[in-house]
Structure formats: structure tokens, C-alpha cells
Amino acid sequence: MSITITIAGPNAPALAAEVEAFLADVLATRAERLPPPEDQTVQRGDPLAVAALVLSIPSAVAATLDLAARARLAERIDRLLDRVRGTAAPTDSLRLTSGAAPELDLITAKRDAVLDRLEQAPDGTAKDPTKG
């Protein structure tokens, strides 16, 4: 997916630097600067479409951050499960319980099952395990 951000005016270089820093920090992506086409005039977009795009950016960033947090948590769970499986003896038992959900055996559990269980609050509602 690509988006185009057109910047014009006397502060364009400074604004471009800010946008590039934001994209690098939040989305871990590098912006590509392109000169405007010389044979075309500047096009003005539909204000409603521009407003809709601007309003959708925060939720897209939030979804990306949630996905990144889930990926970091998944890596931690993988390391935990590897350590548990390397340490556990055949007679050991390690179970995760949460609310009314059935116990989850952490020695044999898959990463996604542990993630899903951690995302469920004791009352059965979803929560974000990366925020405490």
C-alpha cells in the first residue's frame, strides 16, 4: 500500500522532515521523496475525501501499533514456551487458568492459544495484555 503526501509552501522542507520522522518512528517505514510532475498542475482533492483520509490515519496507526505490540508479546511467549519445554520433565505440569476458561497446558500449548488466553480478561471480555 502506498500513500502520497503532497507538501508545498515555504516550510515544505521542514514539514517533509517532520512527516518522514513520524513515518520512520511510528510505522517503521522510509518515505520516498518525489518531485512534482512538471507537466501537470497541482490538483485539488475533494475536501470530503481528504477529511476522511485524515480521520482514518489515527485508527490505522493505532491498529499498526496494536499489531506490533502483539508481535512483541508473541516473541516473548515463544521464548517462555521454549524455556518451559526445555526445563520441564515428563511428569511436570504447567497450566494457565483464567476466569471460567478451561486450563491451558503451557508445556504443549501453541503461541496463539496463549496469546488469545492472555487477551481475555477474567470476566471473558477482551483486553490488551500489553497495557498492564
mmCIF file of all heavy atoms in Angstrom, residues 56-113:
data_model
loop_
_atom_site.group_PDB
_atom_site.id
_atom_site.type_symbol
_atom_site.label_atom_id
_atom_site.label_comp_id
_atom_site.label_asym_id
_atom_site.label_seq_id
_atom_site.Cartn_x
_atom_site.Cartn_y
_atom_site.Cartn_z
ATOM 1 N N SER A 56 -8.962 8.756 9.085
ATOM 2 C CA SER A 56 -8.666 7.324 9.160
ATOM 3 C C SER A 56 -7.228 7.048 9.583
ATOM 4 O O SER A 56 -6.915 5.945 10.023
ATOM 5 C CB SER A 56 -8.946 6.666 7.811
ATOM 6 O OG SER A 56 -7.994 7.086 6.851
ATOM 7 N N ILE A 57 -6.357 8.016 9.478
ATOM 8 C CA ILE A 57 -4.944 7.793 9.808
ATOM 9 C C ILE A 57 -4.740 7.406 11.274
ATOM 10 O O ILE A 57 -4.030 6.437 11.550
ATOM 11 C CB ILE A 57 -4.087 9.006 9.402
ATOM 12 C CG1 ILE A 57 -4.007 9.068 7.878
ATOM 13 C CG2 ILE A 57 -2.694 8.940 10.002
ATOM 14 C CD1 ILE A 57 -3.320 10.293 7.339
ATOM 15 N N PRO A 58 -5.336 8.094 12.261
ATOM 16 C CA PRO A 58 -5.094 7.688 13.652
ATOM 17 C C PRO A 58 -5.498 6.249 13.951
ATOM 18 O O PRO A 58 -4.772 5.528 14.645
ATOM 19 C CB PRO A 58 -5.934 8.670 14.467
ATOM 20 C CG PRO A 58 -6.071 9.856 13.594
ATOM 21 C CD PRO A 58 -6.131 9.322 12.189
ATOM 22 N N SER A 59 -6.635 5.797 13.416
ATOM 23 C CA SER A 59 -7.042 4.416 13.685
ATOM 24 C C SER A 59 -6.113 3.432 12.989
ATOM 25 O O SER A 59 -5.831 2.355 13.516
ATOM 26 C CB SER A 59 -8.491 4.186 13.272
ATOM 27 O OG SER A 59 -8.648 4.408 11.888
ATOM 28 N N ALA A 60 -5.615 3.785 11.815
ATOM 29 C CA ALA A 60 -4.656 2.909 11.128
ATOM 30 C C ALA A 60 -3.358 2.822 11.907
ATOM 31 O O ALA A 60 -2.767 1.742 12.042
ATOM 32 C CB ALA A 60 -4.401 3.413 9.711
ATOM 33 N N VAL A 61 -2.907 3.942 12.438
ATOM 34 C CA VAL A 61 -1.685 3.940 13.250
ATOM 35 C C VAL A 61 -1.904 3.128 14.517
ATOM 36 O O VAL A 61 -1.051 2.319 14.911
ATOM 37 C CB VAL A 61 -1.249 5.387 13.569
ATOM 38 C CG1 VAL A 61 -0.135 5.403 14.607
ATOM 39 C CG2 VAL A 61 -0.794 6.097 12.307
ATOM 40 N N ALA A 62 -3.058 3.306 15.157
ATOM 41 C CA ALA A 62 -3.353 2.549 16.374
ATOM 42 C C ALA A 62 -3.397 1.055 16.092
ATOM 43 O O ALA A 62 -2.867 0.253 16.868
ATOM 44 C CB ALA A 62 -4.678 3.009 16.975
ATOM 45 N N ALA A 63 -4.016 0.658 14.990
ATOM 46 C CA ALA A 63 -4.072 -0.758 14.633
ATOM 47 C C ALA A 63 -2.672 -1.305 14.370
ATOM 48 O O ALA A 63 -2.353 -2.428 14.769
ATOM 49 C CB ALA A 63 -4.959 -0.966 13.412
ATOM 50 N N THR A 64 -1.836 -0.519 13.712
ATOM 51 C CA THR A 64 -0.465 -0.948 13.444
ATOM 52 C C THR A 64 0.307 -1.104 14.748
ATOM 53 O O THR A 64 1.047 -2.075 14.925
ATOM 54 C CB THR A 64 0.244 0.069 12.524
ATOM 55 O OG1 THR A 64 -0.488 0.159 11.313
ATOM 56 C CG2 THR A 64 1.670 -0.349 12.230
ATOM 57 N N LEU A 65 0.129 -0.175 15.665
ATOM 58 C CA LEU A 65 0.816 -0.269 16.954
ATOM 59 C C LEU A 65 0.328 -1.469 17.744
ATOM 60 O O LEU A 65 1.123 -2.157 18.400
ATOM 61 C CB LEU A 65 0.634 1.027 17.740
ATOM 62 C CG LEU A 65 1.300 2.266 17.142
ATOM 63 C CD1 LEU A 65 0.954 3.503 17.954
ATOM 64 C CD2 LEU A 65 2.804 2.080 17.056
ATOM 65 N N ASP A 66 -0.992 -1.740 17.711
ATOM 66 C CA ASP A 66 -1.526 -2.916 18.397
ATOM 67 C C ASP A 66 -0.942 -4.196 17.813
ATOM 68 O O ASP A 66 -0.606 -5.125 18.548
ATOM 69 C CB ASP A 66 -3.051 -2.953 18.307
ATOM 70 C CG ASP A 66 -3.715 -1.891 19.166
ATOM 71 O OD1 ASP A 66 -3.032 -1.314 20.041
ATOM 72 O OD2 ASP A 66 -4.920 -1.643 18.963
ATOM 73 N N LEU A 67 -0.837 -4.243 16.506
ATOM 74 C CA LEU A 67 -0.262 -5.416 15.847
ATOM 75 C C LEU A 67 1.202 -5.576 16.215
ATOM 76 O O LEU A 67 1.667 -6.688 16.483
ATOM 77 C CB LEU A 67 -0.432 -5.302 14.332
ATOM 78 C CG LEU A 67 -0.019 -6.501 13.499
ATOM 79 C CD1 LEU A 67 -0.799 -7.743 13.921
ATOM 80 C CD2 LEU A 67 -0.247 -6.220 12.029
ATOM 81 N N ALA A 68 1.930 -4.481 16.275
ATOM 82 C CA ALA A 68 3.340 -4.538 16.653
ATOM 83 C C ALA A 68 3.491 -4.994 18.104
ATOM 84 O O ALA A 68 4.368 -5.796 18.422
ATOM 85 C CB ALA A 68 4.001 -3.179 16.443
ATOM 86 N N ALA A 69 2.625 -4.496 18.988
ATOM 87 C CA ALA A 69 2.679 -4.917 20.391
ATOM 88 C C ALA A 69 2.358 -6.396 20.510
ATOM 89 O O ALA A 69 3.004 -7.125 21.279
ATOM 90 C CB ALA A 69 1.695 -4.094 21.221
ATOM 91 N N ARG A 70 1.393 -6.882 19.744
ATOM 92 C CA ARG A 70 1.058 -8.315 19.765
ATOM 93 C C ARG A 70 2.225 -9.153 19.252
ATOM 94 O O ARG A 70 2.521 -10.207 19.790
ATOM 95 C CB ARG A 70 -0.204 -8.577 18.945
ATOM 96 C CG ARG A 70 -0.662 -10.030 19.012
ATOM 97 C CD ARG A 70 -1.964 -10.226 18.261
ATOM 98 N NE ARG A 70 -2.265 -11.621 18.079
ATOM 99 C CZ ARG A 70 -3.096 -12.332 18.836
ATOM 100 N NH1 ARG A 70 -3.713 -11.759 19.837
ATOM 101 N NH2 ARG A 70 -3.317 -13.606 18.585
ATOM 102 N N ALA A 71 2.919 -8.661 18.234
ATOM 103 C CA ALA A 71 4.076 -9.388 17.706
ATOM 104 C C ALA A 71 5.197 -9.458 18.740
ATOM 105 O O ALA A 71 5.841 -10.500 18.903
ATOM 106 C CB ALA A 71 4.574 -8.732 16.425
ATOM 107 N N ARG A 72 5.434 -8.343 19.453
ATOM 108 C CA ARG A 72 6.465 -8.362 20.513
ATOM 109 C C ARG A 72 6.073 -9.323 21.623
ATOM 110 O O ARG A 72 6.901 -10.077 22.129
ATOM 111 C CB ARG A 72 6.667 -6.959 21.072
ATOM 112 C CG ARG A 72 7.466 -6.051 20.168
ATOM 113 C CD ARG A 72 7.864 -4.761 20.862
ATOM 114 N NE ARG A 72 6.735 -3.974 21.339
ATOM 115 C CZ ARG A 72 6.066 -3.085 20.622
ATOM 116 N NH1 ARG A 72 6.426 -2.855 19.370
ATOM 117 N NH2 ARG A 72 5.062 -2.408 21.129
ATOM 118 N N LEU A 73 4.800 -9.315 22.003
ATOM 119 C CA LEU A 73 4.330 -10.228 23.037
ATOM 120 C C LEU A 73 4.448 -11.673 22.559
ATOM 121 O O LEU A 73 4.833 -12.562 23.327
ATOM 122 C CB LEU A 73 2.888 -9.899 23.415
ATOM 123 C CG LEU A 73 2.268 -10.734 24.530
ATOM 124 C CD1 LEU A 73 3.075 -10.620 25.814
ATOM 125 C CD2 LEU A 73 0.825 -10.302 24.766
ATOM 126 N N ALA A 74 4.160 -11.921 21.291
ATOM 127 C CA ALA A 74 4.276 -13.275 20.743
ATOM 128 C C ALA A 74 5.722 -13.769 20.816
ATOM 129 O O ALA A 74 5.961 -14.933 21.141
ATOM 130 C CB ALA A 74 3.778 -13.304 19.300
ATOM 131 N N GLU A 75 6.681 -12.892 20.538
ATOM 132 C CA GLU A 75 8.092 -13.284 20.643
ATOM 133 C C GLU A 75 8.448 -13.648 22.079
ATOM 134 O O GLU A 75 9.158 -14.626 22.316
ATOM 135 C CB GLU A 75 8.988 -12.147 20.165
ATOM 136 C CG GLU A 75 8.923 -11.913 18.666
ATOM 137 C CD GLU A 75 9.695 -10.678 18.235
ATOM 138 O OE1 GLU A 75 10.322 -10.007 19.097
ATOM 139 O OE2 GLU A 75 9.675 -10.384 17.031
ATOM 140 N N ARG A 76 7.939 -12.880 23.029
ATOM 141 C CA ARG A 76 8.202 -13.179 24.438
ATOM 142 C C ARG A 76 7.578 -14.514 24.838
ATOM 143 O O ARG A 76 8.161 -15.295 25.583
ATOM 144 C CB ARG A 76 7.660 -12.065 25.323
ATOM 145 C CG ARG A 76 8.400 -10.778 25.163
ATOM 146 C CD ARG A 76 7.707 -9.699 25.934
ATOM 147 N NE ARG A 76 8.675 -8.892 26.630
ATOM 148 C CZ ARG A 76 8.352 -7.859 27.378
ATOM 149 N NH1 ARG A 76 7.093 -7.532 27.530
ATOM 150 N NH2 ARG A 76 9.278 -7.159 27.972
ATOM 151 N N ILE A 77 6.371 -14.755 24.347
ATOM 152 C CA ILE A 77 5.708 -16.021 24.665
ATOM 153 C C ILE A 77 6.487 -17.179 24.058
ATOM 154 O O ILE A 77 6.655 -18.220 24.701
ATOM 155 C CB ILE A 77 4.244 -16.004 24.181
ATOM 156 C CG1 ILE A 77 3.426 -15.048 25.053
ATOM 157 C CG2 ILE A 77 3.632 -17.397 24.191
ATOM 158 C CD1 ILE A 77 2.030 -14.789 24.544
ATOM 159 N N ASP A 78 6.974 -17.032 22.830
ATOM 160 C CA ASP A 78 7.787 -18.080 22.214
ATOM 161 C C ASP A 78 9.012 -18.404 23.069
ATOM 162 O O ASP A 78 9.342 -19.570 23.280
ATOM 163 C CB ASP A 78 8.246 -17.667 20.803
ATOM 164 C CG ASP A 78 7.155 -17.825 19.767
ATOM 165 O OD1 ASP A 78 6.196 -18.587 20.018
ATOM 166 O OD2 ASP A 78 7.273 -17.188 18.704
ATOM 167 N N ARG A 79 9.688 -17.359 23.548
ATOM 168 C CA ARG A 79 10.877 -17.592 24.393
ATOM 169 C C ARG A 79 10.492 -18.306 25.684
ATOM 170 O O ARG A 79 11.181 -19.225 26.135
ATOM 171 C CB ARG A 79 11.581 -16.276 24.683
ATOM 172 C CG ARG A 79 12.307 -15.700 23.474
ATOM 173 C CD ARG A 79 13.269 -14.584 23.857
ATOM 174 N NE ARG A 79 12.620 -13.464 24.497
ATOM 175 C CZ ARG A 79 12.173 -12.383 23.875
ATOM 176 N NH1 ARG A 79 12.302 -12.270 22.564
ATOM 177 N NH2 ARG A 79 11.606 -11.395 24.548
ATOM 178 N N LEU A 80 9.372 -17.884 26.290
ATOM 179 C CA LEU A 80 8.909 -18.531 27.515
ATOM 180 C C LEU A 80 8.598 -20.006 27.265
ATOM 181 O O LEU A 80 9.031 -20.885 28.015
ATOM 182 C CB LEU A 80 7.676 -17.820 28.066
ATOM 183 C CG LEU A 80 6.963 -18.543 29.217
ATOM 184 C CD1 LEU A 80 7.837 -18.549 30.454
ATOM 185 C CD2 LEU A 80 5.611 -17.916 29.486
ATOM 186 N N LEU A 81 7.845 -20.275 26.199
ATOM 187 C CA LEU A 81 7.463 -21.666 25.916
ATOM 188 C C LEU A 81 8.695 -22.517 25.614
ATOM 189 O O LEU A 81 8.760 -23.676 26.036
ATOM 190 C CB LEU A 81 6.467 -21.713 24.752
ATOM 191 C CG LEU A 81 5.090 -21.091 25.037
ATOM 192 C CD1 LEU A 81 4.217 -21.140 23.787
ATOM 193 C CD2 LEU A 81 4.402 -21.753 26.206
ATOM 194 N N ASP A 82 9.680 -21.957 24.924
ATOM 195 C CA ASP A 82 10.919 -22.703 24.667
ATOM 196 C C ASP A 82 11.643 -23.023 25.968
ATOM 197 O O ASP A 82 12.123 -24.147 26.165
ATOM 198 C CB ASP A 82 11.845 -21.913 23.740
ATOM 199 C CG ASP A 82 11.350 -21.872 22.306
ATOM 200 O OD1 ASP A 82 10.485 -22.711 21.955
ATOM 201 O OD2 ASP A 82 11.829 -21.002 21.543
ATOM 202 N N ARG A 83 11.721 -22.048 26.871
ATOM 203 C CA ARG A 83 12.394 -22.293 28.165
ATOM 204 C C ARG A 83 11.626 -23.314 28.990
ATOM 205 O O ARG A 83 12.220 -24.206 29.610
ATOM 206 C CB ARG A 83 12.533 -20.985 28.937
ATOM 207 C CG ARG A 83 13.592 -20.062 28.380
ATOM 208 C CD ARG A 83 13.936 -18.931 29.343
ATOM 209 N NE ARG A 83 12.788 -18.221 29.862
ATOM 210 C CZ ARG A 83 12.269 -17.112 29.341
ATOM 211 N NH1 ARG A 83 12.790 -16.599 28.254
ATOM 212 N NH2 ARG A 83 11.229 -16.529 29.894
ATOM 213 N N VAL A 84 10.294 -23.187 28.994
ATOM 214 C CA VAL A 84 9.462 -24.123 29.764
ATOM 215 C C VAL A 84 9.631 -25.541 29.235
ATOM 216 O O VAL A 84 9.827 -26.482 30.003
ATOM 217 C CB VAL A 84 7.980 -23.682 29.716
ATOM 218 C CG1 VAL A 84 7.058 -24.791 30.147
ATOM 219 C CG2 VAL A 84 7.776 -22.445 30.564
ATOM 220 N N ARG A 85 9.568 -25.687 27.929
ATOM 221 C CA ARG A 85 9.686 -27.032 27.343
ATOM 222 C C ARG A 85 11.076 -27.609 27.527
ATOM 223 O O ARG A 85 11.224 -28.824 27.645
ATOM 224 C CB ARG A 85 9.314 -26.968 25.873
ATOM 225 C CG ARG A 85 7.828 -26.712 25.692
ATOM 226 C CD ARG A 85 7.415 -26.495 24.274
ATOM 227 N NE ARG A 85 5.993 -26.195 24.220
ATOM 228 C CZ ARG A 85 5.447 -25.323 23.405
ATOM 229 N NH1 ARG A 85 6.191 -24.678 22.525
ATOM 230 N NH2 ARG A 85 4.153 -25.102 23.439
ATOM 231 N N GLY A 86 12.084 -26.765 27.559
ATOM 232 C CA GLY A 86 13.449 -27.250 27.786
ATOM 233 C C GLY A 86 13.702 -27.643 29.224
ATOM 234 O O GLY A 86 14.574 -28.454 29.510
ATOM 235 N N THR A 87 12.951 -27.075 30.149
ATOM 236 C CA THR A 87 13.148 -27.324 31.574
ATOM 237 C C THR A 87 12.224 -28.411 32.110
ATOM 238 O O THR A 87 12.588 -29.127 33.037
ATOM 239 C CB THR A 87 12.895 -26.016 32.362
ATOM 240 O OG1 THR A 87 13.734 -24.991 31.836
ATOM 241 C CG2 THR A 87 13.182 -26.190 33.833
ATOM 242 N N ALA A 88 11.052 -28.547 31.537
ATOM 243 C CA ALA A 88 10.025 -29.446 32.083
ATOM 244 C C ALA A 88 10.412 -30.913 31.925
ATOM 245 O O ALA A 88 10.927 -31.334 30.895
ATOM 246 C CB ALA A 88 8.692 -29.195 31.385
ATOM 247 N N ALA A 89 10.146 -31.654 32.978
ATOM 248 C CA ALA A 89 10.299 -33.109 32.956
ATOM 249 C C ALA A 89 8.966 -33.705 32.510
ATOM 250 O O ALA A 89 7.935 -33.033 32.545
ATOM 251 C CB ALA A 89 10.671 -33.612 34.349
ATOM 252 N N PRO A 90 8.964 -34.967 32.088
ATOM 253 C CA PRO A 90 7.705 -35.580 31.626
ATOM 254 C C PRO A 90 6.576 -35.558 32.658
ATOM 255 O O PRO A 90 5.407 -35.549 32.293
ATOM 256 C CB PRO A 90 8.109 -37.015 31.300
ATOM 257 C CG PRO A 90 9.568 -36.942 31.014
ATOM 258 C CD PRO A 90 10.105 -35.852 31.889
ATOM 259 N N THR A 91 6.911 -35.511 33.921
ATOM 260 C CA THR A 91 5.865 -35.517 34.951
ATOM 261 C C THR A 91 5.475 -34.119 35.405
ATOM 262 O O THR A 91 4.596 -33.974 36.251
ATOM 263 C CB THR A 91 6.339 -36.329 36.172
ATOM 264 O OG1 THR A 91 7.561 -35.754 36.657
ATOM 265 C CG2 THR A 91 6.542 -37.789 35.801
ATOM 266 N N ASP A 92 6.114 -33.083 34.857
ATOM 267 C CA ASP A 92 5.790 -31.716 35.245
ATOM 268 C C ASP A 92 4.477 -31.267 34.613
ATOM 269 O O ASP A 92 4.071 -31.750 33.565
ATOM 270 C CB ASP A 92 6.897 -30.749 34.811
ATOM 271 C CG ASP A 92 8.150 -30.898 35.658
ATOM 272 O OD1 ASP A 92 8.041 -31.378 36.801
ATOM 273 O OD2 ASP A 92 9.233 -30.528 35.168
ATOM 274 N N SER A 93 3.856 -30.311 35.281
ATOM 275 C CA SER A 93 2.608 -29.736 34.783
ATOM 276 C C SER A 93 2.693 -28.222 34.947
ATOM 277 O O SER A 93 3.099 -27.726 35.992
ATOM 278 C CB SER A 93 1.426 -30.286 35.582
ATOM 279 O OG SER A 93 0.247 -29.622 35.217
ATOM 280 N N LEU A 94 2.313 -27.506 33.922
ATOM 281 C CA LEU A 94 2.299 -26.051 33.964
ATOM 282 C C LEU A 94 1.051 -25.598 33.237
ATOM 283 O O LEU A 94 0.928 -25.750 32.025
ATOM 284 C CB LEU A 94 3.556 -25.490 33.296
ATOM 285 C CG LEU A 94 3.710 -23.981 33.276
ATOM 286 C CD1 LEU A 94 3.743 -23.419 34.695
ATOM 287 C CD2 LEU A 94 4.977 -23.610 32.546
ATOM 288 N N ARG A 95 0.092 -25.071 33.980
ATOM 289 C CA ARG A 95 -1.205 -24.737 33.402
ATOM 290 C C ARG A 95 -1.545 -23.275 33.650
ATOM 291 O O ARG A 95 -1.283 -22.742 34.712
ATOM 292 C CB ARG A 95 -2.278 -25.630 33.985
ATOM 293 C CG ARG A 95 -1.978 -27.102 33.748
ATOM 294 C CD ARG A 95 -3.208 -27.957 33.970
ATOM 295 N NE ARG A 95 -2.882 -29.360 33.773
ATOM 296 C CZ ARG A 95 -2.833 -29.956 32.596
ATOM 297 N NH1 ARG A 95 -3.063 -29.278 31.505
ATOM 298 N NH2 ARG A 95 -2.548 -31.237 32.488
ATOM 299 N N LEU A 96 -2.155 -22.685 32.666
ATOM 300 C CA LEU A 96 -2.616 -21.297 32.741
ATOM 301 C C LEU A 96 -4.122 -21.327 32.915
ATOM 302 O O LEU A 96 -4.836 -21.940 32.121
ATOM 303 C CB LEU A 96 -2.248 -20.550 31.454
ATOM 304 C CG LEU A 96 -2.798 -19.143 31.293
ATOM 305 C CD1 LEU A 96 -2.183 -18.220 32.333
ATOM 306 C CD2 LEU A 96 -2.516 -18.621 29.903
ATOM 307 N N THR A 97 -4.597 -20.690 33.980
ATOM 308 C CA THR A 97 -6.037 -20.592 34.193
ATOM 309 C C THR A 97 -6.437 -19.130 34.158
ATOM 310 O O THR A 97 -5.698 -18.258 34.598
ATOM 311 C CB THR A 97 -6.463 -21.215 35.538
ATOM 312 O OG1 THR A 97 -5.747 -20.569 36.588
ATOM 313 C CG2 THR A 97 -6.182 -22.693 35.565
ATOM 314 N N SER A 98 -7.618 -18.894 33.651
ATOM 315 C CA SER A 98 -8.104 -17.528 33.508
ATOM 316 C C SER A 98 -9.612 -17.546 33.520
ATOM 317 O O SER A 98 -10.232 -18.047 32.585
ATOM 318 C CB SER A 98 -7.559 -16.950 32.205
ATOM 319 O OG SER A 98 -8.348 -15.939 31.714
ATOM 320 N N GLY A 99 -10.189 -17.035 34.578
ATOM 321 C CA GLY A 99 -11.646 -16.966 34.671
ATOM 322 C C GLY A 99 -12.295 -18.323 34.524
ATOM 323 O O GLY A 99 -11.850 -19.311 35.073
ATOM 324 N N ALA A 100 -13.371 -18.368 33.734
ATOM 325 C CA ALA A 100 -14.129 -19.604 33.544
ATOM 326 C C ALA A 100 -13.583 -20.438 32.390
ATOM 327 O O ALA A 100 -14.081 -21.530 32.133
ATOM 328 C CB ALA A 100 -15.591 -19.276 33.295
ATOM 329 N N ALA A 101 -12.554 -19.948 31.707
ATOM 330 C CA ALA A 101 -11.998 -20.697 30.575
ATOM 331 C C ALA A 101 -11.287 -21.950 31.082
ATOM 332 O O ALA A 101 -10.760 -21.973 32.191
ATOM 333 C CB ALA A 101 -11.011 -19.821 29.815
ATOM 334 N N PRO A 102 -11.275 -22.998 30.277
ATOM 335 C CA PRO A 102 -10.574 -24.213 30.702
ATOM 336 C C PRO A 102 -9.073 -23.957 30.830
ATOM 337 O O PRO A 102 -8.525 -23.036 30.219
ATOM 338 C CB PRO A 102 -10.874 -25.212 29.585
ATOM 339 C CG PRO A 102 -11.364 -24.414 28.447
ATOM 340 C CD PRO A 102 -11.878 -23.121 28.975
ATOM 341 N N GLU A 103 -8.421 -24.790 31.633
ATOM 342 C CA GLU A 103 -6.979 -24.657 31.823
ATOM 343 C C GLU A 103 -6.246 -24.848 30.502
ATOM 344 O O GLU A 103 -6.703 -25.591 29.631
ATOM 345 C CB GLU A 103 -6.475 -25.708 32.818
ATOM 346 C CG GLU A 103 -6.940 -25.484 34.230
ATOM 347 C CD GLU A 103 -6.360 -26.520 35.166
ATOM 348 O OE1 GLU A 103 -5.939 -27.612 34.715
ATOM 349 O OE2 GLU A 103 -6.319 -26.244 36.376
ATOM 350 N N LEU A 104 -5.113 -24.186 30.383
ATOM 351 C CA LEU A 104 -4.292 -24.295 29.187
ATOM 352 C C LEU A 104 -2.933 -24.844 29.611
ATOM 353 O O LEU A 104 -2.254 -24.250 30.448
ATOM 354 C CB LEU A 104 -4.136 -22.917 28.524
ATOM 355 C CG LEU A 104 -3.348 -22.863 27.228
ATOM 356 C CD1 LEU A 104 -4.056 -23.665 26.142
ATOM 357 C CD2 LEU A 104 -3.186 -21.425 26.786
ATOM 358 N N ASP A 105 -2.548 -25.982 29.056
ATOM 359 C CA ASP A 105 -1.264 -26.605 29.370
ATOM 360 C C ASP A 105 -0.166 -25.858 28.620
ATOM 361 O O ASP A 105 -0.076 -25.920 27.394
ATOM 362 C CB ASP A 105 -1.290 -28.080 28.960
ATOM 363 C CG ASP A 105 -0.005 -28.811 29.296
ATOM 364 O OD1 ASP A 105 0.923 -28.174 29.831
ATOM 365 O OD2 ASP A 105 0.070 -30.016 29.014
ATOM 366 N N LEU A 106 0.682 -25.127 29.347
ATOM 367 C CA LEU A 106 1.718 -24.310 28.712
ATOM 368 C C LEU A 106 2.865 -25.141 28.149
ATOM 369 O O LEU A 106 3.641 -24.647 27.350
ATOM 370 C CB LEU A 106 2.257 -23.277 29.696
ATOM 371 C CG LEU A 106 1.293 -22.160 30.063
ATOM 372 C CD1 LEU A 106 1.926 -21.208 31.045
ATOM 373 C CD2 LEU A 106 0.822 -21.422 28.831
ATOM 374 N N ILE A 107 2.976 -26.384 28.542
ATOM 375 C CA ILE A 107 4.041 -27.231 28.002
ATOM 376 C C ILE A 107 3.713 -27.654 26.570
ATOM 377 O O ILE A 107 4.593 -27.770 25.729
ATOM 378 C CB ILE A 107 4.288 -28.449 28.922
ATOM 379 C CG1 ILE A 107 4.796 -27.942 30.289
ATOM 380 C CG2 ILE A 107 5.277 -29.419 28.302
ATOM 381 C CD1 ILE A 107 4.923 -29.016 31.340
ATOM 382 N N THR A 108 2.436 -27.823 26.274
ATOM 383 C CA THR A 108 2.047 -28.264 24.935
ATOM 384 C C THR A 108 1.303 -27.198 24.133
ATOM 385 O O THR A 108 1.014 -27.404 22.960
ATOM 386 C CB THR A 108 1.144 -29.512 25.029
ATOM 387 O OG1 THR A 108 -0.031 -29.180 25.771
ATOM 388 C CG2 THR A 108 1.879 -30.671 25.682
ATOM 389 N N ALA A 109 1.019 -26.061 24.745
ATOM 390 C CA ALA A 109 0.198 -25.030 24.096
ATOM 391 C C ALA A 109 0.934 -24.367 22.937
ATOM 392 O O ALA A 109 2.155 -24.262 22.916
ATOM 393 C CB ALA A 109 -0.183 -23.966 25.113
ATOM 394 N N LYS A 110 0.164 -23.931 21.974
ATOM 395 C CA LYS A 110 0.678 -23.145 20.850
ATOM 396 C C LYS A 110 0.694 -21.675 21.261
ATOM 397 O O LYS A 110 -0.085 -21.242 22.109
ATOM 398 C CB LYS A 110 -0.214 -23.310 19.618
ATOM 399 C CG LYS A 110 -0.369 -24.729 19.152
ATOM 400 C CD LYS A 110 0.849 -25.146 18.376
ATOM 401 C CE LYS A 110 0.582 -26.521 17.771
ATOM 402 N NZ LYS A 110 1.776 -27.245 17.526
ATOM 403 N N ARG A 111 1.571 -20.921 20.620
ATOM 404 C CA ARG A 111 1.710 -19.493 20.930
ATOM 405 C C ARG A 111 0.383 -18.749 20.797
ATOM 406 O O ARG A 111 0.019 -17.954 21.660
ATOM 407 C CB ARG A 111 2.748 -18.863 20.015
ATOM 408 C CG ARG A 111 2.790 -17.350 20.160
ATOM 409 C CD ARG A 111 3.667 -16.665 19.179
ATOM 410 N NE ARG A 111 3.267 -17.001 17.838
ATOM 411 C CZ ARG A 111 4.021 -16.794 16.773
ATOM 412 N NH1 ARG A 111 5.218 -16.288 16.903
ATOM 413 N NH2 ARG A 111 3.591 -17.099 15.572
ATOM 414 N N ASP A 112 -0.351 -18.982 19.725
ATOM 415 C CA ASP A 112 -1.602 -18.249 19.503
ATOM 416 C C ASP A 112 -2.633 -18.542 20.587
ATOM 417 O O ASP A 112 -3.404 -17.666 20.971
ATOM 418 C CB ASP A 112 -2.172 -18.564 18.121
ATOM 419 C CG ASP A 112 -1.344 -17.948 17.007
ATOM 420 O OD1 ASP A 112 -0.639 -16.951 17.271
ATOM 421 O OD2 ASP A 112 -1.401 -18.463 15.874
ATOM 422 N N ALA A 113 -2.641 -19.755 21.078
ATOM 423 C CA ALA A 113 -3.573 -20.100 22.150
ATOM 424 C C ALA A 113 -3.242 -19.327 23.420
ATOM 425 O O ALA A 113 -4.142 -18.842 24.120
ATOM 426 C CB ALA A 113 -3.548 -21.599 22.417
#
